[in-house]
Amino acid sequence: KMAGSSTPWIGSAYLFLQSTCKTIVLPSLYESSQKKPSVFKALKLALADSTGSMNGVDMLKVHCSHPHLIVQLKFCKQENCRRFLQSYREGALQKSLQNHLQLSLAMAPVPLEMELKAGREHLDNMLKDEERCLECIYREKPDRLRDEEIMELEEHLKSLTIHHSINNNVAIKDYAPQKSPSPPYPSQDSSLLPQATFSFQGQQFDNRTITLDDHQKFAKLVSKKWKQVGRTLQRSCRALRDPVIDNLALEYDREGLYEQAYQLLLRFIQSEGKKATIARLIAALEENGLVSVAEELLGLHSNEDCS
């Protein structure tokens, strides 16, 4: 039996997409760094059209499996899933995606074949039985969080779409830009960087913004003490105030310590922007006895230790 009103309705499905035109290969377009944002935009807008909301369905990952582009979908409300199924069944989703691909890629119409699966079930064979389709999707719980690449593409799209409307008047406020820079790591242009230096173990270091390399090393090395570091950072970062840290621990429990620590620092970077400096992170690490992690971030260990 599916969840009652008191339990969140969450389900997952895979949307298989294939161009029937030999000269248009969707996985190749998505694998192109230049075309990928345009393909993602078309997918995002077509899915929004199908549910009537930018938040109606989440893309967790896009797989390239020639000749298919496979989109892993997550639904958080049964009514959104119903709207999606209706749009898919009636061919509206297919038509919408063809239109958005044509516009985004500035190319000829893209003829598409679609297939929808939930686990081993081919939902195309049971589309007339909506309740059965819903049950199959509900049984399949998402096995992953949103892919980092998807998050970056989302941020990129938000920055592009803020001044544009899309079909069927989906509210643009859903795409209101966050105060965070996009992508999350600020430009390393020297004119934008904090010019101050800071002292650590008697040496002076540039107080630069936190980089992707810092972010990944922190998540890898901080281990179980990520919460303690978060509570130190929260004193000067409103985005990490309780119960945010406890929620991160619960939300990413299945993914483990690396993902929990990664998400913590991501919140800090997105909230603080150019003020998310290495000095603040080093001070928090030092306060919690994580001197070796601080040394690693500042390059005081050999590269072999952190490969």
Side-chain angles (χ1 to χ4, degrees):
K1 188 178 178 180
M2 287 189 287
S5 57
S6 61
T7 311
W9 195 98
I10 295 174
S12 180
Y14 286 89
L15 182 63
F16 287 71
L17 305 169
Q18 180 181 356
S19 165
T20 55
C21 174
K22 289 182 180 179
T23 59
I24 301 172
V25 184
L26 291 178
S28 297
L29 289 173
Y30 193 79
E31 286 169 339
S32 158
S33 57
Q34 289 182 318
K35 302 286 188 185
K36 180 176 291 186
S38 299
V39 177
F40 178 81
K41 178 183 177 183
L43 288 168
K44 181 76 179 175
L45 298 182
L47 289 169
D49 288 348
S50 75
T51 61
S53 166
M54 281 294 177
N55 303 315
V57 54
D58 277 335
M59 280 187 276
L60 299 184
K61 187 172 177 65
V62 177
H63 305 263
C64 293
S65 179
H66 291 259
H68 291 102
L69 200 64
I70 308 171
V71 187
Q72 186 173 4
L73 303 173
K74 174 186 175 183
F75 299 92
C76 288
K77 289 184 178 177
Q78 187 180 134
E79 54 264 38
N80 288 333
C81 193
R82 282 188 189 279
R83 289 192 200 105
F84 169 85
L85 285 170
Q86 181 180 353
S87 176
Y88 182 86
R89 185 172 63 242
E90 295 174 353
L93 175 62
Q94 183 178 24
K95 186 175 180 182
S96 174
L97 183 53
Q98 286 174 332
N99 290 340
H100 284 303
L101 283 169
Q102 185 177 355
L103 289 169
S104 293
L105 293 165
M107 63 196 300
V110 183
L112 290 176
E113 282 185 355
M114 289 186 166
E115 195 176 350
L116 190 63
K117 296 181 183 179
R120 296 180 180 180
E121 299 288 350
H122 290 249
L123 302 186
D124 299 77
N125 300 331
M126 58 179 88
L127 287 174
K128 291 181 181 178
D129 189 345
E130 190 172 280
E131 295 305 318
R132 190 176 165 203
C133 288
L134 286 167
E135 284 177 17
C136 292
I137 292 170
Y138 177 70
R139 273 203 308 268
E140 293 298 318
K141 299 304 179 195
D143 60 356
R144 62 161 57 244
L145 293 164
R146 207 178 329 176
D147 201 60
E148 282 176 32
E149 180 181 69
I150 296 289
M151 293 169 70
E152 288 169 12
L153 287 164
E154 289 267 12
E155 288 297 320
H156 178 67
L157 184 56
K158 283 178 189 176
S159 69
L160 292 179
T161 329
I162 184 66
H163 298 303
H164 299 278
S165 60
I166 65 168
N167 290 352
N168 74 1
N169 293 323
V170 173
I172 287 303
K173 66 182 180 182
D174 287 348
Y175 263 149
Q178 300 175 358
K179 292 183 180 177
S180 59
S182 177
Y185 305 96
S187 165
Q188 294 299 302
D189 183 329
S190 59
S191 65
L192 296 177
L193 291 176
Q195 296 303 309
T197 60
F198 68 100
S199 177
F200 177 74
Q201 294 184 346
Q203 296 184 52
Q204 290 295 310
F205 295 89
D206 288 333
N207 189 15
R208 55 180 173 75
T209 48
I210 294 170
T211 66
L212 176 59
D213 189 50
D214 298 328
H215 196 163
Q216 292 172 337
K217 282 183 182 176
F218 170 82
K220 179 181 174 184
L221 299 170
V222 73
S223 192
K224 294 178 181 177
K225 287 197 171 181
W226 69 270
K227 271 191 176 184
Q228 291 169 241
V229 175
R231 297 199 194 287
T232 299
L233 290 172
Q234 78 176 189
R235 295 202 293 262
S236 61
C237 176
R238 298 186 66 169
L240 296 180
R241 298 283 164 86
D242 291 330
V244 171
I245 294 173
D246 290 333
N247 286 347
L248 286 175
L250 287 171
E251 189 176 351
Y252 297 99
D253 179 55
R254 248 178 39 180
E255 281 68 33
L257 294 171
Y258 178 93
E259 190 63 30
Q260 290 168 330
Y262 188 93
Q263 293 296 329
L264 172 86
L265 198 55
L266 182 63
R267 298 292 194 284
F268 178 69
I269 292 166
Q270 289 179 333
S271 168
E272 299 296 294
K274 285 180 286 187
K275 293 187 289 183
T277 61
I278 193 69
R280 292 172 69 184
L281 183 56
I282 295 297
L285 289 167
E286 202 172 6
E287 183 177 321
N288 290 286
L290 294 165
V291 172
S292 63
V293 180
E295 290 172 345
E296 200 76 71
L297 295 184
L298 295 173
L300 298 178
H301 289 172
S302 70
N303 289 335
E304 293 173 11
D305 295 338
C306 55
S307 58

